Amino acid sequence: MSVAGFEDIMAGPLSQYLTLSAKIGGDVAQHAKFVKAAFDAQLRYVTLATEIAQPAQPKQMELLQPTSTQISAVQDYREKHRSSPLFNHLSAISESIPALGWVCVAMKPGPLVKEMNDAGQFYTNRVLKEWKEKDATHVEWARAWIQTLTELQAYIKQYHTTGLVWSGKGAAPAGGAPPPPPPGGLPPPPPPLDLSALKLDSAGDERSALFAQINQGADITKNLKKVTGDMQTHKNPSLRTGPAPFKTPASSSSGPAIAASVKEPVFTRDGKKWLIEYQKNNTGLLVDNAEMNNVVYMFRCEGSTLTVKGKVNNIVLDSCKKCSLLFDSVVASVEFVNCQSVQMQVLGSVPTVSIDKTDGCQMYLSKDSMGVEIVSSKSSEMNVLLPEASGDFTELALPEQYKTFINGKTLKTVCVDSLG
């Protein structure tokens, strides 16, 4: 039943997702091949759980390696195709594909799938918004993927509520099937243990000797050796000199590993898209001569300042830390995703500011941008600074706490004012 339930998911919403991916083509079709391979590997793992008893943790990791490899392939493909026109499609899958890791969760793995589904919906919502008026195929594609993870969560709740069930009786495969028994049948059992040869009274004798030692009273200390002054470290400084404690050599402390993880900074233009990546402590980043249909994408920068001159379509800061953005105007929106301690200042107009999974965001507005709409989710420490006639700014905090109550058959949510 467990295997059949998983096969129903693959034959239902996942199959629809794969069909629509092939119809869209390009990077989405290629990306879907890795997703299909990941689900195939998980089907084999779920099937194996019905055939063998639960193996040891190292063996489970070995059996999960094919699934893990395909999940990494899905995410690596997104990272290598950031300039793709279908980048939102690739991100929607890459952000939520770790849902297949539910087989590693010991207790209640269902919430993991829901959490990954929610993480991916930030990008599926962008797909829906971008394509709902252009091509219904992309809309159906996004809904098929969301339905796949929704049914996966329901499947886990039905068959594996408290973790993957190992219902088999066999042993884990390790280099082939277990060897057959010898021709003469099973080997004879070992000879019975001769209990008469054991000295059962030895433990009692040792306990008697122990109690005899304890019952000596004050005489129990007469065999202790007296510590003289020359044996005490505070009276004999020569005893304090000893071998120095071991310290890991500085030259070998993960230097190569850190160096390997540092990537070269990128500042380039790819068609309509400006790519600024891995910049560190660079306050002179400048996008000049930009056009109205251009998109500026800033990824994993730290301690840097980006200035955008001219009017562009969209600006995105993704996984940036302690960065500043100064721009003239945008046609669509400015977006902050997975950022920390960022700030922006608009000199012209901006219709929408989107903030997602960001901690610390300062937004300096201009007189022409007072009609801005700010959409935030899973973020904190957000402040809007409104311009004054004197040239100063008035700072207002965006709400982070809400109260929801039932209003008939609907829910009504209001902001909770801070009491501080």
Side-chain angles (χ1 to χ4, degrees):
M1 294 294 293
S2 171
V3 175
F6 196 87
E7 290 175 340
D8 288 343
I9 297 175
M10 298 186 65
L14 180 66
S15 177
Q16 184 182 6
Y17 154 78
L18 296 174
T19 301
L20 294 170
S21 297
K23 185 176 179 180
I24 294 173
D27 290 330
V28 172
Q30 184 62 34
H31 205 217
K33 293 179 181 179
F34 297 113
V35 177
K36 174 66 163 56
F39 272 83
D40 287 340
Q42 181 141 108
L43 176 61
R44 291 192 294 270
Y45 190 77
V46 172
T47 304
L48 191 64
T50 65
E51 299 172 350
I52 67 172
Q54 183 173 2
Q57 190 70 17
K59 186 62 180 178
Q60 290 185 43
M61 294 299 101
E62 179 184 340
L63 296 174
L64 279 170
Q65 189 59 42
T67 306
S68 177
T69 300
Q70 295 304 323
I71 292 176
S72 298
V74 171
Q75 296 176 326
D76 290 343
Y77 189 88
R78 191 273 293 263
E79 294 299 322
K80 295 177 181 177
H81 294 79
R82 289 191 162 272
S83 59
S84 171
L86 301 174
F87 179 71
N88 286 333
H89 297 65
L90 306 183
S91 298
I93 305 301
S94 297
E95 291 290 331
S96 52
I97 195 65
L100 295 184
W102 68 269
V103 292
C104 301
V105 180
M107 294 296 294
K108 296 183 179 180
L112 170 68
V113 179
K114 185 180 185 306
E115 182 180 349
M116 294 298 102
N117 198 2
D118 292 342
Q121 281 193 19
F122 174 77
Y123 290 99
T124 54
N125 288 341
R126 296 176 70 173
V127 173
L128 294 172
K129 180 180 178 181
E130 180 181 359
W131 293 93
K132 66 180 179 179
E133 302 294 340
K134 300 178 183 179
D135 190 346
T137 302
H138 296 259
V139 176
E140 295 174 3
W141 175 90
R143 290 173 178 168
W145 177 247
I146 294 174
Q147 186 63 25
T148 300
L149 297 184
T150 301
E151 293 196 12
L152 178 60
Q153 184 184 359
Y155 161 81
I156 295 170
K157 184 177 181 180
Q158 182 175 357
Y159 297 105
H160 307 282
T161 307
T162 58
L164 180 65
V165 177
W166 297 85
S167 57
K169 302 296 182 182
L186 296 175
L193 180 64
D194 186 6
L195 299 178
S196 62
L198 296 178
K199 295 182 178 180
L200 300 178
D201 295 334
S202 59
D205 295 340
E206 293 176 359
R207 286 195 297 269
S208 300
L210 174 62
F211 283 115
Q213 290 280 346
I214 295 175
N215 291 331
Q216 292 182 48
D219 293 338
I220 195 172
T221 61
K222 67 181 180 181
N223 293 325
L224 296 179
K225 185 177 180 181
K226 181 176 180 59
V227 178
T228 59
D230 60 336
M231 299 179 184
Q232 300 174 6
T233 56
H234 65 285
K235 292 184 178 180
N236 189 356
S238 62
L239 296 178
R240 302 174 195 169
T241 59
F246 174 76
K247 294 183 179 179
T248 305
S251 59
S252 63
S253 59
S254 67
I258 295 177
S261 64
V262 176
K263 296 187 178 182
E264 291 294 325
V266 175
F267 191 105
T268 184
R269 180 174 181 176
D270 185 2
K272 300 177 182 179
K273 195 168 189 177
W274 296 78
L275 300 175
I276 302 102
E277 301 178 351
Y278 306 109
Q279 300 284 344
K280 190 170 183 180
N281 299 325
N282 189 345
T283 59
L285 299 172
L286 175 63
V287 173
D288 202 0
N289 299 323
E291 301 174 6
M292 194 174 296
N293 61 353
N294 287 180
V295 173
V296 180
Y297 183 77
M298 191 175 183
F299 177 71
R300 287 200 177 174
C301 297
E302 182 176 348
S304 301
T305 300
L306 172 64
T307 303
V308 181
K309 292 188 175 181
K311 193 172 187 177
V312 296
N313 183 62
N314 188 31
I315 302 176
V316 180
L317 271 68
D318 186 356
S319 304
C320 294
K321 184 177 181 180
K322 297 182 180 179
C323 289
S324 300
L325 170 66
L326 175 64
F327 63 97
D328 290 339
S329 297
V330 296
V331 177
S333 65
V334 173
E335 302 176 26
F336 299 95
V337 184
N338 292 323
C339 294
Q340 295 181 16
S341 302
V342 291
Q343 59 181 355
M344 57 150 270
Q345 182 172 2
V346 53
L347 303 179
S349 61
V350 53
T352 305
V353 176
S354 176
I355 310 171
D356 182 63
K357 301 176 186 174
T358 294
D359 297 321
C361 184
Q362 304 282 335
M363 293 163 280
Y364 291 82
L365 302 182
S366 65
K367 293 181 179 179
D368 296 333
S369 59
M370 296 299 287
V372 65
E373 294 182 355
I374 301 174
V375 181
S376 61
S377 61
K378 299 182 180 179
S379 300
S380 62
E381 302 176 29
M382 302 168 289
N383 297 302
V384 179
L385 292 99
L386 307 180
E388 297 280 353
S390 61
D392 296 331
F393 288 88
T394 300
E395 185 174 3
L396 300 175
L398 267 65
E400 301 177 21
Q401 189 175 12
Y402 306 92
K403 177 174 65 177
T404 300
F405 55 90
I406 301 173
N407 183 16
K409 293 187 177 181
T410 62
L411 298 178
K412 187 174 181 180
T413 301
V414 296
C415 300
V416 176
D417 294 331
S418 175
L419 300 178

